[in-house]
Amino acid sequence: MKIALLCTQDNGGAGRAALRLHKGLNQIGEDSTFYVKRKTTDSYNVVEMRPAEYFEQTLKYLQKCFSNTYEGNTICSAMYPGLGVRNLERLQNFDVINLHWIPGLVSLEDIPTMHAMGKPVVWTLHDQNPMTGACHYTHGCEKYKFDCSDCPQLKDNLLDVPKAIIKAKIRDWPKDIVVVTPSRWLANCAKESAVFKKHRIEVIPYSLETDIFKPVTNNEVKTSLEIPENAKVILFGANSFAEKRKGLPELIEAVKHLQTDSRVQQLLAANQLYIVSFGYPAPPLDSIGIPYKTVGYTIQEEMLVRLYSTADVVALPSLEDNLPNIMLESMACGTPVVAFATGGMKDTIKRGKNGFLVPLRNTKTFAKRLIDGINGGHLREYCRKFIEEKYRLDIQAKKYRELFQDLVKAKDA
């Protein structure tokens, strides 16, 4: 089959996830082309596709509308400017069109145009944006189940733009577009949404390169950060902790509870416990009482593998999330994960085997489970085995191939 994958970028959480599917499909013999707005990788058959110039005034207006979110809320975005006629014509020769994270690449109006080509359209969701009027995570708001009126994330919403957008999605998008979600949580959101409640919805988890993300034995990270060789390391990471849903305040609270434990106090007295982060630094952690080091923002896989392998446990304090790459990458490198019981974490973390789930916002228990993780060397073997058995590239790719073949046969019939 000739398969077209479309995503705004080939990096970041959604971009990397889509790129891995692209790699997996080619590995199992399918002809996948990955179209992106901004190309950063030299991977095979990744092609830049520049959006059309029209809709510029619409885009500027919507950007102004969605740039006034309350502090700490998620990003809001609109599906503009769009592909344009020439780019859409490039998709004519494919058997299947698979959309991913597409703000700024594919417009709302492009979707029915693609569908009119007679190709099956599959949309892999990476967050809630396709089913909302603007936001990518709803912060508990349930208006996406109805009409997204009076959006609580926007300071100024005089024309009720999110309501108009979700109305257009419900009215204009064909109901036989198939939705794929990486987590059961996101599938349930889609089933309850006003946009996708009548659509076929499948759950197919992400995958990753188990030949790249694997345990390595080295202390280069500790040496470069001036951490003693035998010290325990708690690792966490995110592109940015500015969003409330990333859980930085909850992590800080958990670290405070952590320091009341006698075993942790002994480690600190002996200079044997450190917190390390990657992504943009989180200044509030500079004065929390536990030595804090950061390697800054990095997308280098070799560095990420070393960080995961060096850590004793990964802290994932997200309050809302789909199926974080960090969780899968960490386990692939043999490192257990402590996370709040939300999103795709509930699908993946098996208590006492590859990590620990904690009731949402229960920071005391989060601290206790971090201690269990620090002392969880016996979990490493299962972490690796679990990823090898369930999250290899070929496992995900074969599930998508089966879905694509089913849809193509149905179209032919």
Side-chain angles (χ1 to χ4, degrees):
M1 279 183 298
K2 287 178 64 64
I3 303 160
L5 275 66
L6 282 77
C7 191
T8 303
Q9 54 196 27
D10 56 16
N11 57 17
R16 289 170 64 197
L19 179 62
R20 285 165 173 165
L21 173 60
H22 166 68
K23 289 179 179 178
L25 288 168
N26 282 316
Q27 282 182 13
I28 64 170
E30 300 301 330
D31 184 1
S32 172
T33 301
F34 188 25
Y35 290 105
V36 296
K37 183 178 180 179
R38 294 180 292 273
K39 178 179 177 179
T40 63
T41 179
D42 58 358
S43 294
Y44 169 74
N45 223 0
V46 178
V47 181
E48 283 196 348
M49 183 182 276
R50 293 293 182 181
E53 294 300 322
Y54 60 82
F55 284 132
E56 284 300 319
Q57 293 303 315
T58 304
L59 177 61
K60 289 178 181 179
Y61 175 75
L62 290 172
Q63 286 176 333
K64 183 178 180 181
C65 288
F66 297 151
S67 64
N68 65 339
T69 57
Y70 287 102
E71 185 177 357
N73 281 345
T74 189
I75 60 169
C76 291
S77 65
M79 298 174 62
Y80 291 98
L83 291 173
V85 175
R86 289 186 180 179
N87 283 329
L88 287 167
E89 287 177 348
R90 296 166 71 178
L91 304 177
Q92 287 281 5
N93 295 325
F94 289 91
D95 299 305
V96 178
I97 299 171
N98 181 201
L99 306 175
H100 285 263
W101 196 89
I102 51 175
L105 177 65
V106 178
S107 73
L108 191 153
E109 292 84 0
D110 286 338
I111 306 297
T113 304
M114 290 178 186
H115 180 267
M117 295 177 182
K119 321 287 184 185
V121 178
V122 176
W123 198 337
T124 301
L125 308 188
H126 298 272
D127 55 30
Q128 293 174 279
N129 180 254
M131 67 186 82
T132 73
C135 67
H136 287 251
Y137 284 91
T138 65
H139 289 274
C141 173
E142 295 190 343
K143 292 186 177 183
Y144 72 97
K145 298 179 181 180
F146 309 103
D147 62 2
C148 280
S149 60
D150 301 318
C151 176
Q153 299 204 46
L154 299 179
K155 296 178 184 177
D156 180 15
N157 186 24
L158 296 178
L159 297 180
D160 218 355
V161 175
K163 181 178 180 179
I165 289 176
I166 201 170
K167 181 180 179 180
K169 290 179 178 180
I170 296 167
R171 181 190 65 222
D172 298 339
W173 286 353
K175 298 299 182 284
D176 60 348
I177 292 175
V178 176
V179 173
V180 176
T181 68
S183 67
R184 289 182 293 175
W185 166 77
L186 195 54
N188 290 333
C189 292
K191 290 173 184 176
E192 295 176 340
S193 72
V195 175
F196 292 129
K197 63 184 178 182
K198 296 181 180 179
H199 290 242
R200 176 180 172 182
I201 299 170
E202 302 287 342
V203 178
I204 303 178
Y206 289 151
S207 64
L208 74 165
E209 305 90 338
T210 51
D211 59 328
I212 296 175
F213 288 89
K214 59 186 178 181
V216 296
T217 304
N218 70 80
N219 283 300
E220 292 181 23
V221 171
K222 286 184 175 178
T223 301
S224 64
L225 295 176
E226 299 181 344
I227 295 175
E229 181 179 340
N230 296 323
K232 300 290 186 180
V233 172
I234 299 170
L235 177 70
F236 72 95
N239 285 345
S240 172
F241 282 92
E243 290 184 58
K244 294 176 184 175
R245 71 178 186 90
K246 290 298 184 181
L248 180 59
E250 286 74 17
L251 178 62
I252 292 173
E253 192 67 27
V255 171
K256 291 178 181 177
H257 292 306
L258 195 67
Q259 295 172 72
T260 65
D261 185 88
S262 59
R263 293 165 294 180
V264 171
Q265 291 171 355
Q266 291 174 4
L267 288 172
L268 290 173
N271 195 30
Q272 291 291 298
L273 179 62
Y274 285 77
I275 293 178
V276 175
S277 77
F278 62 92
Y280 296 109
L285 286 166
D286 288 332
S287 57
I288 54 173
I290 294 179
Y292 167 56
K293 306 279 188 175
T294 179
V295 299
Y297 181 78
T298 180
I299 58 172
Q300 294 181 354
E301 292 175 339
E302 184 180 357
M303 171 58 78
L304 291 172
V305 168
R306 290 178 179 177
L307 286 167
Y308 293 129
S309 298
T310 298
D312 295 278
V313 63
V314 165
L316 188 58
S318 296
L319 306 177
E320 285 180 301
D321 224 329
N322 175 25
L323 191 70
N325 289 319
I326 289 174
M327 175 174 62
L328 302 182
E329 292 167 357
S330 174
M331 291 180 185
C333 295
T335 304
V337 177
V338 175
F340 288 124
T342 186
M345 282 72 97
K346 293 189 290 184
D347 296 353
T348 309
I349 296 177
K350 311 301 177 185
R351 180 177 178 179
K353 292 185 176 181
N354 57 9
F356 300 92
L357 286 173
V358 178
L360 200 61
R361 290 190 169 89
N362 189 329
T363 55
K364 284 187 178 181
T365 303
F366 201 97
K368 291 177 182 178
R369 295 297 172 244
L370 285 177
I371 295 171
D372 292 337
I374 289 171
N375 298 307
H378 60 287
L379 306 179
R380 287 188 171 272
E381 184 177 348
Y382 182 84
C383 285
R384 175 64 184 176
K385 180 181 177 183
F386 178 75
I387 295 297
E388 287 180 322
E389 291 179 351
K390 296 184 180 296
Y391 294 93
R392 299 191 315 272
L393 292 182
D394 64 298
I395 294 174
Q396 181 197 32
K398 288 174 182 177
K399 290 179 179 178
Y400 269 90
R401 177 168 65 184
E402 183 179 349
L403 173 62
F404 293 159
Q405 288 175 339
D406 178 41
L407 296 175
V408 169
K409 287 178 182 177
K411 281 282 186 182
D412 291 344

